[in-house]
Every structure is written in structure tokens, then in C-alpha cells.
Amino acid sequence: MKRNIVIAAVTAAALIGGGTATALATTGDDQGSARQAANTKLSDDGNRDDQDDRDDRDDDAAKVSSSDVTAPEAIASALKHTSGTVVSAELDDEDDSDKLVWKVDVLSGDNTWHSVSVDPSNGKVLGAQTDDEDDTAQVRAALKGSSVTAEEAAKAAAGKGVVTSVGLDEDGKDKSWEAETRKSGGAEQDWKIDLKSGKVTADRDDQNDQDDDVDDQD
């Protein structure tokens, strides 16, 4: 009699335990489904962001490839229009539109800044305007003793890809020309060009940023 009571108690406990386990399992499935759905959404959002980035790079690459005028040619054209020292040149959208222009910053002998717009299809100057800059003395100091011009720096960097911008880095201890290039696949890279020797080296800060981006994606 006692043995039967014990068996009945064990069976009841098993049933109760099984019911509890089933309930927990069901609850766990619901939570797991919710987590899976959330993870799937995050993954989809990430994939869409990656695709958007690739589309942007493809669009930028297409725009760059449509430019017949190189950075050195744009600089030469700007200097014919406005004499002085070119401090930067960049292939960029005009007034946030889809139309690309070369924007060349020229520092004239009287320390007046000029922004010269050059047509990337034929090299003609589209217009120029004066700008107010507060780093004239700093730029002059950085260029003192330099033997490499912006045009020469752009030509040196052209061996690494299509130059989309070149500009003076007058900050910090190691002053140099900086250039951005783009290859046919859309990959961008930054370079430093020595102000005296014209030697081109990879921008280590840019490389570190790329490594950080890879780590974040992992």
C-alpha cells in the first residue's frame, strides 16, 4: 500500500514536472522566436546598409570615371585663370547637385583666397569667387621651403589611382600634401606626398581607420 502511494506521488510529480517543463519549453520557444526575428531584422538592416554603401561607392566611381580632366589639368586650368598658389583641388558635387566640378583653392600673392570651379569634361573655368580664410599665415609657413606644388603632388599620386582630391596638410609636425585616389573598383585610399621630395606614402591614419572599420564589422 505504501509502495503504491509512493509510485503515485512520483508519477504525479513527473506529470507536474513535465507540464512545467512543457510550459517553460513553450515560453522558451516564444522568446527564441522573438530573438531570432530581432536578429534577422538587424541582419537585414545591416545588409541593406552595406548594399547602400556599395551603391554609393559605385555611384561615386561612375562619377569619377566620367571626368575627362585630371587633377593636375584642373589645377593648371585654374592657375591660368587666377595666378597664385594652389592649396587644394577636389572633384566634388556642385552645390549638393549631381553635377561634378573641380573646386580649386588658390592663394594669390596679396593673400586673397579664390575658389575656382573647373568643368571636369573640358577643363574650362566655370567661375571664381573670393573666400575668407583665417589660416593664411599657417599655409604660407607650411609651404615655405617646399619644392613640390599641388600639381606635382597630384601627378605623383596619380600612379596610385585616379586622384579625386589633393590638399595641403599644414597641421601637426609632419606637414605634407594629402591626396585621395580611387581605383576602378571604387576603392578609396589616402596618400601623403612629401613637400620636398615628392615621395608618396600611404596615409597611416587612414589605414588605421580602415582597420578599425574592419574590426567593427567583425
Side-chain angles (χ1 to χ4, degrees):
M1 183 64 180
K2 290 183 179 179
R3 183 171 179 274
N4 292 336
I5 293 174
V6 172
I7 292 175
V10 171
T11 302
L15 290 173
I16 295 172
T20 304
T22 302
L24 291 174
T26 302
T27 303
D29 288 343
D30 291 341
Q31 292 175 347
S33 299
R35 283 195 298 268
Q36 183 177 0
N39 290 337
T40 301
K41 183 178 185 303
L42 290 173
S43 178
D44 290 342
D45 290 343
N47 290 336
R48 280 195 294 270
D49 290 341
D50 291 343
Q51 184 61 48
D52 290 342
D53 290 340
R54 286 193 292 270
D55 291 342
D56 289 341
R57 286 195 295 269
D58 291 341
D59 290 343
D60 291 342
K63 290 178 181 179
V64 170
S65 64
S66 66
S67 174
D68 296 324
V69 177
T70 65
E73 292 170 343
I75 291 172
S77 181
L79 286 175
K80 287 180 180 179
H81 181 274
T82 305
S83 61
T85 302
V86 171
V87 180
S88 68
E90 182 180 12
L91 185 62
D92 197 9
D93 294 337
E94 183 179 29
D95 299 328
D96 296 327
S97 68
D98 290 335
K99 182 180 179 181
L100 285 180
V101 295
W102 279 106
K103 295 180 179 179
V104 184
D105 291 332
V106 182
L107 177 59
S108 63
D110 62 356
N111 289 335
T112 300
W113 287 88
H114 304 267
S115 178
V116 184
S117 298
V118 179
D119 193 318
S121 64
N122 54 30
K124 292 182 178 180
V125 172
L126 300 172
Q129 62 183 25
T130 58
D131 286 338
D132 294 327
E133 300 287 348
D134 57 3
D135 59 346
T136 302
Q138 191 174 359
V139 168
R140 291 290 191 197
L143 290 174
K144 186 177 181 179
S146 170
S147 56
V148 177
T149 65
E151 184 177 355
E152 292 168 338
K155 288 179 179 179
K160 305 296 184 180
V162 177
V163 177
T164 56
S165 71
V166 60
L168 178 67
D169 178 13
E170 73 273 17
D171 297 326
K173 180 180 179 181
D174 299 326
K175 298 173 177 56
S176 64
W177 291 107
E178 288 186 334
E180 182 179 277
T181 62
R182 185 186 295 274
K183 293 187 177 181
S184 57
E188 297 177 355
Q189 188 164 359
D190 291 339
W191 306 90
K192 287 184 176 294
I193 301 93
D194 191 274
L195 290 172
K196 294 183 177 181
S197 67
K199 182 180 179 181
V200 180
T201 56
D203 188 338
R204 286 177 294 181
D205 292 337
D206 176 62
Q207 185 61 50
N208 290 336
D209 290 340
Q210 291 180 359
D211 292 341
D212 290 341
D213 291 340
V214 171
D215 291 339
D216 291 340
Q217 291 175 359
D218 293 341

